[in-house]
Amino acid sequence: MKTETTDNGRLDVWTPQEVSEALAKGEITLIDVRSPEEFTVERIPGALLFPMQGFEARHLPAQGDKPIVLHCGSGMRSGKMADKVLADQKGPIAHMDGGMGAWKKAGLDYIAINKATGAPEVTRDD
């Protein structure tokens, strides 16, 4: 994990591998800030949807010591939303470097719509 300093505070930036390992152990809450349409087409198993369009930091779930990690398609929107959290409540927040694109490039499992059947299924890009 690396750390960035923004105008609003310290922001942790996690790799897809770090997110995958922590998510599998139940150590983080992963929140997808993409649109509902993007989430429907492909998503990370276990991620919650909280679209950027209506994103308000005060509505994030309370986690105690459990970190919240945001993600999007490329890392741009999640970085912006994480900085917004810092500006709104000065709390700890992280985002995933490279977003869904980096997750897929790393060969990690994700749920996608099978174009032949229209059903969601777990897949990975090897």
Side-chain angles (χ1 to χ4, degrees):
M1 173 184 355
K2 62 183 180 180
T3 302
E4 294 177 358
T5 301
T6 72
D7 291 341
N8 297 308
R10 190 188 97 184
L11 175 61
D12 291 332
V13 182
W14 295 44
T15 67
Q17 293 82 3
E18 290 169 330
V19 170
S20 177
E21 290 169 14
L23 189 60
K25 293 176 185 174
E27 297 173 345
I28 63 168
T29 298
L30 181 62
I31 298 180
D32 189 331
V33 299
R34 298 175 304 151
S35 70
E37 295 80 15
E38 290 172 292
F39 187 82
T40 299
V41 171
E42 60 184 19
R43 64 188 178 275
I44 296 171
L48 304 175
L49 178 63
F50 193 178
M52 182 175 156
Q53 302 93 301
F55 192 95
E56 290 188 43
R58 63 191 172 103
H59 294 298
L60 286 170
Q63 297 300 304
D65 293 336
K66 191 175 184 180
I68 293 176
V69 180
L70 305 178
H71 92 88
C72 63
S74 67
M76 295 297 294
R77 291 175 283 179
S78 60
K80 288 179 184 177
M81 294 302 95
D83 195 44
K84 179 180 172 118
V85 171
L86 291 174
D88 289 351
Q89 65 189 37
K90 306 291 184 204
I93 191 75
H95 84 106
M96 185 171 73
D97 194 24
M100 191 72 188
W103 182 273
K104 290 167 56 177
K105 187 174 180 178
L108 299 167
D109 288 350
Y110 62 99
I111 298 171
I113 299 297
N114 179 317
K115 292 180 183 175
T117 65
E121 63 183 34
V122 175
T123 188
R124 79 171 59 169
D125 295 348
D126 294 319

